[in-house]
């Protein structure tokens, strides 16, 4: 069940999306490999190995900052 509003919002299992992409339920995605955020405000999530996710954010000052989450 998908809906695309005239405001350009896409709802998946959501009939009245509040955001540009509004998903009601579980979803999956494939992280890119070694991707750097391009524009200020961009966020990139990548699987850097079997147990580590790396989050990168390009701030409004143009600096890319990152943090990792280790999974068990």
């Amino acid at each position: 069940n998908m809906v695309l509003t005239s405001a350009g919002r896409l709802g998946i299992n959501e009939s009245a999306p509040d955001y540009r992409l509004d998903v009601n339920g579980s979803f999956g995605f494939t992280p890119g490999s070694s991707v750097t955020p391009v524009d200020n405000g961009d966020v990139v999530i990548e699987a850097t190995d079997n147990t580590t996710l790396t989050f990168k954010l390009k701030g409004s000052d143009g600096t890319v900052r990152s943090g990792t989450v280790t999974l068990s």
Side-chain angles (χ1 to χ4, degrees), residues 39-61:
D39 296 321
N40 292 353
D42 284 359
V43 175
V44 171
I45 303 169
E46 77 181 75
T48 48
D49 62 36
N50 289 333
T51 60
T52 307
L53 289 177
T54 299
F55 293 81
K56 298 176 186 177
L57 165 69
K58 187 168 187 178
S60 61
D61 60 358

Side-chain angles (χ1 to χ4, degrees), residues 13-68:
N13 292 329
E14 182 63 55
S15 59
D18 295 315
Y19 307 98
R20 189 170 302 258
L21 175 62
D22 197 340
V23 178
N24 184 348
S26 300
F27 71 95
F29 66 95
T30 303
S33 59
S34 193
V35 179
T36 300
V38 177
D39 296 321
N40 292 353
D42 284 359
V43 175
V44 171
I45 303 169
E46 77 181 75
T48 48
D49 62 36
N50 289 333
T51 60
T52 307
L53 289 177
T54 299
F55 293 81
K56 298 176 186 177
L57 165 69
K58 187 168 187 178
S60 61
D61 60 358
T63 301
V64 176
R65 294 170 176 86
S66 65
T68 60

